Amino acid sequence: MTSPTEIEGAEASSVLDKESEPQGDAQEPKKLAGRSPGQLMWQRFKRDRTGVVSAYVVIFFFVVAALAPLIAKVYGKDPYTLYAQEPDFPFLLDDFAMPTGSFGGMSGEFWFGVEPKLGRDVFTMLLYGMRTSLYMAVVVTTLCVLTGVLIGMVSGFFGGRVDYWLGRVTDFFLAFPQQLFFIAFMPVVTAMFVSPQDETPTYLRAVAITLVMWFLGWMGLARLVRSSVLSLADREFVEAAKVSGASPWRIVRKEILPNIVTPILVQATYILPSTILSIAFLSYIGVGFVEPTPDWGRMFAIGSEVYEQDPMFMFFPGVALVVFVLAFNLLGDSVRDAFDPKTGR
């Protein structure tokens, strides 16, 4: 005989079976897929209109700098020809060697006008000057980031005497004033590799600028990375990796480095525009790039001599430099906000 309890259990089981059976056109629930930290960062970044616009501006500058020779070829001018001395353009400069016409000689032939005194095309000078400054800054920034991350990581991870001596080396380099040291360093380079009767080649000046800015530009990032590594060295996941027998290289690569990508990336976005300003300053005072190499700093140096007679010559490089530096700084802020889950943007 079946007990009442067994009957009630059978009825309840049949009811549950009926409810669990698919009902006609009922759809299966969608599976929720998790998103990686990179995907979350990208979603946050895309919602930041300021960051997206800044990224487009920065990409535009780099694309224009990369395509400068092609643009100049299509445009039909170059930054080295003295067009005021060409028979095809006999009236580019007046008797005072200033551009004829309004707005610095702007016309259909010369979109941004011509350079005072020499008559070179300002548009192509700006393109090639942008190319020189941007790609020099990329090289310097890459070297500074790699060096700063390596020294900061080693100092913070191993600690002890290693941390002490690397800290003293960092302090030693911080004692050097970068720009003054470069002014004193250039004559040494010239005397070592170039005869006093010869002009210093452009590539040698580029190497000198890169080396000095590299040697004197990594310390801030190294200290930032060191402090970040020290804050992570005693965390549970790092201790667990050590107990499990993981090698130091694996701990650094798998546990520590992914957790300090944000400050490294943000700091790099600040180093690059600062490097561009430093390169422009060195060329402005005459110890960086010199004639006839197109450079933002050289254009400012020329413009400062003729700004009363031809203010437009400094207008275009000034606007380009301000727009790029501002866009890159805003991009750095947006990247930081996208990586930081605590921000509300």
Side-chain angles (χ1 to χ4, degrees), residues 47-345:
R47 292 197 297 266
D48 189 347
R49 294 183 179 179
T50 302
V52 173
V53 173
S54 300
Y56 279 122
V57 172
V58 170
I59 293 172
F60 171 77
F61 271 83
F62 276 102
V63 170
V64 170
L67 299 178
L70 179 61
I71 296 174
K73 184 177 180 180
V74 175
Y75 175 60
K77 305 289 188 305
D78 64 73
Y80 306 105
T81 302
L82 308 181
Y83 290 99
Q85 300 178 7
E86 295 290 320
D88 296 336
F89 307 100
F91 302 109
L92 285 181
L93 303 178
D94 58 18
D95 295 337
F96 300 98
M98 291 292 112
T100 58
S102 58
F103 303 107
M106 293 174 59
S107 64
E109 288 285 345
F110 299 93
W111 294 352
F112 289 179
V114 295
E115 178 192 15
K117 299 181 180 179
L118 298 178
R120 292 180 293 191
D121 179 69
V122 176
F123 178 68
T124 52
M125 289 178 67
L126 180 59
L127 291 181
Y128 278 78
M130 187 188 306
R131 179 186 178 91
T132 301
S133 298
L134 291 187
Y135 288 100
M136 279 287 298
V138 168
V139 173
V140 173
T141 301
T142 302
L143 293 174
C144 290
V145 168
L146 292 177
T147 306
V149 170
L150 177 62
I151 293 180
M153 191 82 70
V154 172
S155 180
F157 184 76
F158 290 101
R161 292 183 177 272
V162 175
D163 184 25
Y164 175 82
W165 287 110
L166 286 179
R168 302 296 74 76
V169 170
T170 304
D171 294 337
F172 174 77
F173 279 100
L174 282 172
F176 286 95
Q178 180 176 349
Q179 295 171 346
L180 293 179
F181 182 78
F182 184 83
I183 294 173
F185 184 73
M186 276 305 299
V188 177
V189 174
T190 303
M192 290 176 59
F193 299 101
V194 181
S195 173
Q197 292 79 20
D198 299 332
E199 177 64 29
T200 305
T202 300
Y203 76 89
L204 187 58
R205 290 185 176 273
V207 171
I209 294 172
T210 302
L211 290 178
V212 173
M213 290 192 170
W214 173 28
F215 287 149
L216 303 180
W218 54 266
M219 294 81 70
L221 183 59
R223 285 190 163 185
L224 177 65
V225 172
R226 173 186 174 274
S227 62
S228 300
V229 174
L230 287 175
S231 66
L232 295 172
D234 297 330
R235 299 287 294 273
E236 292 80 1
F237 59 90
V238 176
E239 293 294 339
K242 292 179 180 179
V243 171
S244 65
S247 64
W249 165 244
R250 180 177 177 81
I251 295 174
V252 169
R253 182 168 54 92
K254 293 290 187 180
E255 307 296 340
I256 296 180
L257 189 58
N259 288 283
I260 62 173
V261 168
T262 301
I264 293 173
L265 185 59
V266 172
Q267 187 68 16
T269 60
Y270 294 143
I271 292 176
L272 192 142
S274 176
T275 302
I276 290 177
L277 294 176
S278 298
I279 294 173
F281 170 76
L282 294 173
S283 298
Y284 177 83
I285 63 177
V287 295
F289 293 105
V290 297
E291 297 289 0
T293 304
D295 181 72
W296 263 335
R298 288 297 307 147
M299 296 187 73
F300 284 121
I302 298 170
S304 65
E305 299 174 358
V306 298
Y307 72 93
E308 293 183 350
Q309 297 84 8
D310 184 16
M312 290 301 297
F313 182 81
M314 192 182 289
F315 175 77
F316 292 108
V319 170
L321 185 60
V322 169
V323 169
F324 179 81
V325 172
L326 177 61
F328 219 101
N329 287 331
L330 292 176
L331 177 62
D333 292 339
S334 298
V335 171
R336 178 197 60 202
D337 294 338
F339 271 108
D340 188 359
K342 296 180 181 179
T343 58
R345 293 178 58 181

